[in-house]
Amino acid sequence: QTSPMLADGTKIADLVLPATREVQMRVLSDPEIYELEMERIFGKIWNFLGHESEIPNSGDFVVRDMGSDQVIISRDKAGEVHVMLNVCPHRGMRVSVLDGGNTQIHKCIYHGWAFRPNGDFIGAPVEKECMHGKMMCKEELGLKKARVTLYGGLIFATWNIEGPSFEDFLGDAKWYYDMLFKRSDRGLEVLGPPQRFVVRANWKAAGEQSAADGFHTLTLHRWLGEVGNYAKKNEDGTSADLSPEMYGVEISSPHGHALRCIDLARKISRLTGLDPKELSVQQKLDALPPAGMHKDMVEQLARNLSPEQLQVLTTMPPQVGGIFPNVLFGFVYIPQPDGSVLGSLTLHAYVPRGPDKLEFVNWILAEKDAPQELRERILKQTIQLFGTSGMVEQDDSDTWPHITLSAKGAMGKKQTLKYQAVYETGAPEGWPGPGMVNEGFTKDDTQWHWWMYWRELMTSEV
Ligand code: FES
Ligand code: FE
């Protein structure tokens, strides 16, 4: 059942204040709130765990965290992907103590109970003597199984067996995510295992930023306009103002998902010397294929997407955003020193590891059909820019620990986070996509809607 109050009498609903769009800072450090999140959010929603291309063969498995629990993600002989709790039903030992591997038998190192890749109990050593099965039959002795969905190869799982479908969870955002994850015939795959590193920060400092915070780019990542090969330069070689990049279309979802669609017009006109308004969809695709796609692949788009999705993909495509609560995607167009543009595809999960610790997991993706040379360039450039070793997100992962420490201060925890920049524009005329859509300079709306869904989950029945 739901507790509407914290131990000190604070109503959970009052942690997020809709009248003034404020959030109590204590939510970023309070252990009691963290424990509730593990049950009410991560115990309930669809959790992103990885990509099926990480476990291509029968018996392949990886071990990941799903909220505060560890799970085994494995592929069985029939090719099905399973997600099950990595907790032995005998005495609670972790059944797998590895990060991943291949086996048809997951055998617990403590007393040797053994399980199939689908979690079913196989047997135990000297079973006749020690595991009579007098009280419980074999069917009851397997690993606890989660409900699993594959979406464009992405593996999501939930403990909420009877809860909403994955499609319901994505809602209107699916129309946009399909442009990224379901646009090609054979789909995406990972370029190697994910990078992982620990940041001493509350997961929500990163999670709410993943709800399409564009504003921080101007200050925190200001060097993007100033330094190195990637720097955006004006024609005369001076550093470019980044603020034009902050205009676009932002979409929020009642389920906390969010994305930023950024105008491609300037890139296309630079590449073609023409006004993009004069160009057909095909001409735009030829000039600038979607981030991560080779020009030979663009003919696949019309088979997989609607004409309306193609229109958005070639003018104002989703480039950064998040899947609630802790996933960030970037399908970003990176200007190259030679004037061309390279797409970079990355997915992050900010996995909670305690009130002041998160694990940053970074997958780099490529189209299965992309030529080797393009895959290598995507891998190299994405590693350079994003994730563990990247230049951009060293900035972000430096702020989150400071924010978390601020939220521990006797005075700091009484302060509020403020989401005051409100869109009043609505969707651009003729915008064909669904959702809560606004155009203009980036605002706080998408992150605010993220908090509103956090509040809804934290105050609703478990
Ligand atoms: Fe796993 Fe005993 S705890 S077999
Ligand atoms: Fe950032």
Side-chain angles (χ1 to χ4, degrees):
Q1 101 234 26
T2 304
S3 145
M5 296 214 191
L6 298 173
D8 69 0
T10 305
K11 277 191 188 154
I12 292 173
D14 288 346
L15 296 170
V16 176
L17 303 164
T20 48
R21 299 227 306 191
E22 289 174 278
V23 177
Q24 304 286 353
M25 259 185 89
R26 64 182 286 190
V27 301
L28 295 175
S29 63
D30 190 317
E32 189 187 358
I33 294 171
Y34 179 85
E35 289 304 324
L36 287 170
E37 288 170 340
M38 292 306 107
E39 286 177 26
R40 296 183 183 182
I41 296 179
F42 290 90
K44 235 167 109 173
I45 48 107
W46 287 95
N47 292 265
F48 172 63
L49 298 171
H51 194 274
E52 66 160 337
S53 59
E54 295 179 73
I55 46 168
N57 303 309
S58 164
D60 283 352
F61 73 95
V62 289
V63 173
R64 296 277 152 78
D65 291 297
M66 184 160 150
S68 48
D69 292 299
Q70 203 174 64
V71 291
I72 302 172
I73 306 161
S74 66
R75 193 181 289 273
D76 69 13
K77 280 190 175 149
E80 293 283 303
V81 172
H82 301 272
V83 174
M84 56 250 181
L85 194 63
N86 188 18
V87 174
C88 184
H90 183 225
R91 296 285 200 281
M93 175 60 193
R94 287 195 161 161
V95 174
S96 178
V97 289
L98 304 172
D99 278 346
N102 180 287
T103 184
Q104 294 297 340
I105 302 171
H106 291 273
K107 185 173 161 188
C108 179
I109 60 167
Y110 196 1
H111 312 86
W113 281 30
F115 307 89
R116 290 190 209 290
N118 69 1
D120 285 352
F121 177 70
I122 300 171
V126 253
E127 195 172 320
K128 242 170 60 200
E129 299 295 332
C130 287
M131 218 292 299
H132 303 277
K134 286 214 168 128
M135 327 289 174
M136 295 172 80
C137 63
K138 276 193 166 186
E139 284 66 40
E140 293 173 279
L141 299 176
L143 301 178
K144 182 172 175 58
K145 299 177 191 186
R147 183 175 160 207
V148 181
T149 285
L150 297 183
Y151 168 69
L154 307 178
I155 303 167
F156 287 86
T158 179
W159 300 118
N160 197 357
I161 306 298
E162 303 294 328
S165 69
F166 181 73
E167 303 250 315
D168 286 347
F169 171 64
L170 274 194
D172 286 345
K174 183 179 183 303
W175 192 87
Y176 300 95
Y177 294 144
D178 283 356
M179 280 186 242
L180 309 176
F181 301 111
K182 300 189 77 166
R183 60 189 183 174
S184 62
D185 295 347
R186 296 179 61 230
L188 299 163
E189 63 183 350
V190 293
L191 293 175
Q195 301 179 312
R196 302 163 71 161
F197 75 123
V198 168
V199 185
R200 306 287 311 189
N202 184 274
W203 71 273
K204 295 188 295 306
E208 71 95 51
Q209 192 204 68
S210 73
D213 184 314
F215 187 32
H216 76 281
T217 308
L218 290 181
T219 313
L220 186 66
H221 305 308
R222 183 182 162 76
W223 63 268
L224 278 168
E226 297 171 340
V227 180
N229 279 345
Y230 309 114
K232 292 181 175 46
K233 301 276 187 195
N234 298 317
E235 306 262 289
D236 63 1
T238 54
S239 294
D241 175 13
L242 293 177
S243 51
E245 300 285 326
M246 299 301 113
Y247 286 89
V249 171
E250 292 185 344
I251 296 126
S252 351
S253 142
H255 289 169
H257 316 306
L259 43 115
R260 278 169 52 66
C261 299
I262 305 171
D263 200 346
L264 287 186
R266 286 182 313 128
K267 284 193 179 68
I268 291 177
S269 68
R270 203 177 55 235
L271 289 166
T272 60
L274 299 166
D275 180 353
K277 289 200 193 77
E278 317 277 293
L279 300 175
S280 68
V281 164
Q282 192 55 49
Q283 285 169 317
K284 283 187 264 195
L285 285 172
D286 291 341
L288 181 57
M293 270 198 154
H294 189 262
K295 58 179 172 17
D296 292 346
M297 297 180 65
V298 297
E299 45 105 21
Q300 297 183 15
L301 291 164
R303 279 198 289 280
N304 294 292
L305 302 175
S306 69
E308 292 76 19
Q309 286 171 310
L310 261 181
Q311 180 201 326
V312 169
L313 193 62
T314 51
T315 51
M316 192 74 81
Q319 290 184 46
V320 285
I323 301 174
F324 187 89
N326 64 335
V327 179
L328 178 129
F329 71 81
F331 278 56
V332 183
Y333 298 78
I334 305 170
Q336 301 294 292
D338 66 359
S340 66
V341 174
L342 181 74
S344 160
L345 313 187
T346 179
L347 264 175
H348 306 337
Y350 304 119
V351 181
R353 286 295 189 88
D356 52 9
K357 200 157 124 186
L358 67 87
E359 186 177 8
F360 187 141
V361 188
N362 176 35
W363 291 261
I364 299 167
L365 304 164
E367 293 284 351
K368 281 185 185 146
D369 283 345
Q372 189 58 22
E373 182 267 344
L374 177 59
R375 296 154 67 90
E376 282 167 16
R377 289 179 66 209
I378 290 174
L379 180 61
K380 192 168 156 200
Q381 191 133 115
T382 310
I383 287 173
Q384 279 177 353
L385 276 180
F386 301 108
T388 318
S389 53
M391 296 187 290
V392 176
E393 285 161 335
Q394 300 307 309
D395 302 338
D396 299 288
S397 47
D398 200 28
T399 59
W400 305 327
H402 287 295
I403 294 166
T404 305
L405 281 173
S406 304
K408 286 185 181 179
M411 193 54 72
K413 70 169 72 155
K414 293 190 189 130
Q415 197 164 296
T416 60
L417 313 168
K418 295 163 187 73
Y419 295 77
Q420 304 292 298
V422 182
Y423 267 122
E424 283 155 350
T425 44
E429 213 184 310
W431 182 260
M436 295 186 266
V437 184
N438 283 290
E439 79 170 322
F441 194 84
T442 182
K443 298 279 190 297
D444 288 334
D445 288 51
T446 50
Q447 295 111 74
W448 175 251
H449 294 137
W450 186 97
W451 280 111
M452 288 300 285
Y453 192 51
W454 180 89
R455 181 183 193 248
E456 185 182 323
L457 290 176
M458 289 290 281
T459 52
S460 59
E461 302 255 322
V462 178

